[in-house]
Amino acid sequence: MEYIFLLARVVFGGYFIMAAFNHLRNSDMLAGYAGSKNVPSPKAAVIASGIIALLGGLGIVLGVYVNLAVFLVLIFLIPITFMVHNFWKAPTPEARQMDRIQFQKNIALMAGALAFLAVAQPWMWSL
């Protein structure tokens, strides 16, 4: 079971590490999108969220500062979910559908992050 849990940590945390690299590599493009969704200081928000996602993802993959890592993942997801993927404000049915999918995915990711708190620490195969 510990190998399955390690795989889950790598996949889950890796998702946020990849998201972080995307935020940092494509910050101008994502800042434009965030600005169109009325996110305040969109460029700074994109960069900050990228750093937060990176630290949260690394914490989960490495099994260090797990409570803080989960908190960072939630801090990354909550504003994005409710400010950027607010499907109830989408102007077209297509945009509404895409934002609803992203909203629901993020809710599931939040639940997954919280589930990591239920596993006794320190985790096996952690630094």
Side-chain angles (χ1 to χ4, degrees):
M1 281 308 244
E2 58 267 4
Y3 294 111
I4 293 171
F5 184 64
L6 177 61
L7 176 62
R9 283 172 37 201
V10 169
V11 170
F12 190 84
Y15 173 85
F16 292 99
I17 293 168
M18 296 297 290
F21 285 128
N22 183 53
H23 273 66
L24 298 172
R25 188 175 341 118
N26 299 308
S27 61
D28 288 332
M29 179 185 67
L30 291 173
Y33 181 65
S36 76
K37 295 288 198 154
N38 299 316
V39 172
S41 304
K43 176 83 174 202
V46 167
I47 292 171
S49 66
I51 293 167
I52 290 167
L54 178 63
L55 294 174
L58 285 172
I60 289 172
V61 169
L62 300 175
V64 295
Y65 303 107
V66 173
N67 293 346
L68 176 60
V70 168
F71 177 73
L72 290 172
V73 163
L74 293 173
I75 291 299
F76 172 76
L77 287 170
I78 290 170
I80 290 171
T81 302
F82 291 97
M83 293 177 76
V84 176
H85 300 304
N86 49 356
F87 63 90
W88 53 91
K89 290 185 177 181
T92 66
E94 294 82 10
R96 190 172 308 112
Q97 180 180 18
M98 289 305 299
D99 277 336
R100 182 187 305 267
I101 290 167
Q102 295 301 319
F103 182 91
Q104 291 172 330
K105 175 210 36 133
N106 286 359
I107 295 294
L109 287 169
M110 285 185 243
L114 290 171
F116 281 106
L117 297 177
V119 179
Q121 297 173 35
W123 293 342
M124 187 171 243
W125 308 101
S126 296
L127 293 183

